[in-house]
């Protein structure tokens, strides 16, 4: 189960809506070994595409160095889908290389600025997709 604060949940949804019609992407880092998502790190979609996301390699390197310096790890790796449901594509599964992370997908496919959206979380390990419950809390 993914437990996430309301503030982080709102930030992920806002980022997905702001980058629409392109896919948004980013990471939520947390103290290593805790599984607690704490630090929202929106990233630039280097692909600038409505159907694909790609982290900028320099930004990603900087992020991993920063997480190492602060004894953090990627707790959530997120991106949005702009035309399909919030379910990992074959490409998403191929690029899922953090077996301990929660992979969050926010679909903005039906969003009109204030409309509905989907927020779902998965574990992706060795190509196997497992959806998990999401619990939103006010604080940890």
């Amino acid at each position: 189960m993914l437990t996430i604060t309301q503030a982080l949940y709102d930030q992920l949804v806002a980022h997905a809506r702001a980058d629409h019609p392109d896919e948004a992407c980013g990471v939520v880092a947390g103290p290593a070994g805790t599984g607690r998502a704490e630090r929202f790190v929106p990233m630039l979609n280097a692909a600038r595409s409505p159907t694909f996301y790609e982290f900028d390699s320099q930004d990603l390197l900087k992020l991993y160095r920063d997480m190492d310096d602060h004894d953090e790890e990627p707790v959530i790796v997120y991106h949005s889908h702009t035309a399909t449901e919030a379910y990992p594509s074959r490409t998403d599964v191929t690029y899922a290389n953090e077996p301990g992370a929660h992979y969050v997908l926010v679909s903005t496919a039906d969003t009109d600025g204030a409309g509905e959206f989907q927020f779902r979380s998965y574990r992706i390990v060795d190509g196997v997709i497992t959806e998990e419950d999401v619990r939103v809390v006010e604080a940890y």
Side-chain angles (χ1 to χ4, degrees):
M1 173 187 294
L2 169 63
T3 300
I4 186 172
T5 64
Q6 184 69 56
L8 284 170
Y9 179 94
D10 292 344
Q11 287 178 301
L12 269 68
V13 171
H15 185 204
R17 285 182 167 162
D19 281 13
H20 187 90
D22 289 339
E23 289 192 4
C25 59
V27 171
V28 181
T34 68
R36 197 172 62 235
E38 293 185 352
R39 185 166 62 97
F40 175 66
V41 186
M43 305 283 283
L44 173 68
N45 179 354
R48 298 187 187 258
S49 168
T51 59
F52 180 74
Y53 81 97
E54 180 178 32
F55 292 121
D56 177 84
S57 60
Q58 292 299 317
D59 289 347
L60 197 58
L61 180 61
K62 181 181 174 194
L63 171 63
Y64 272 83
R65 285 182 175 159
D66 190 46
M67 286 191 299
D68 283 345
D69 290 346
H70 294 94
D71 196 27
E72 293 176 317
E73 62 189 1
V75 176
I76 295 171
V77 177
Y78 75 91
H79 75 281
S80 62
H81 280 184
T82 62
T84 59
E85 70 174 314
Y87 189 82
S89 68
R90 283 180 291 204
T91 304
D92 296 339
V93 173
T94 300
Y95 288 122
N97 60 2
E98 290 288 346
H102 303 271
Y103 285 88
V104 168
L105 282 149
V106 178
S107 175
T108 57
D110 298 323
T111 300
D112 62 3
E116 292 298 313
F117 61 90
Q118 292 177 344
F119 186 107
R120 295 164 72 181
S121 184
Y122 304 88
R123 295 293 189 145
I124 304 173
V125 179
D126 296 328
V128 177
I129 303 166
T130 306
E131 187 165 6
E132 62 184 350
D133 290 334
V134 177
R135 182 172 64 126
V136 180
V137 297
E138 286 304 314
Y140 293 121

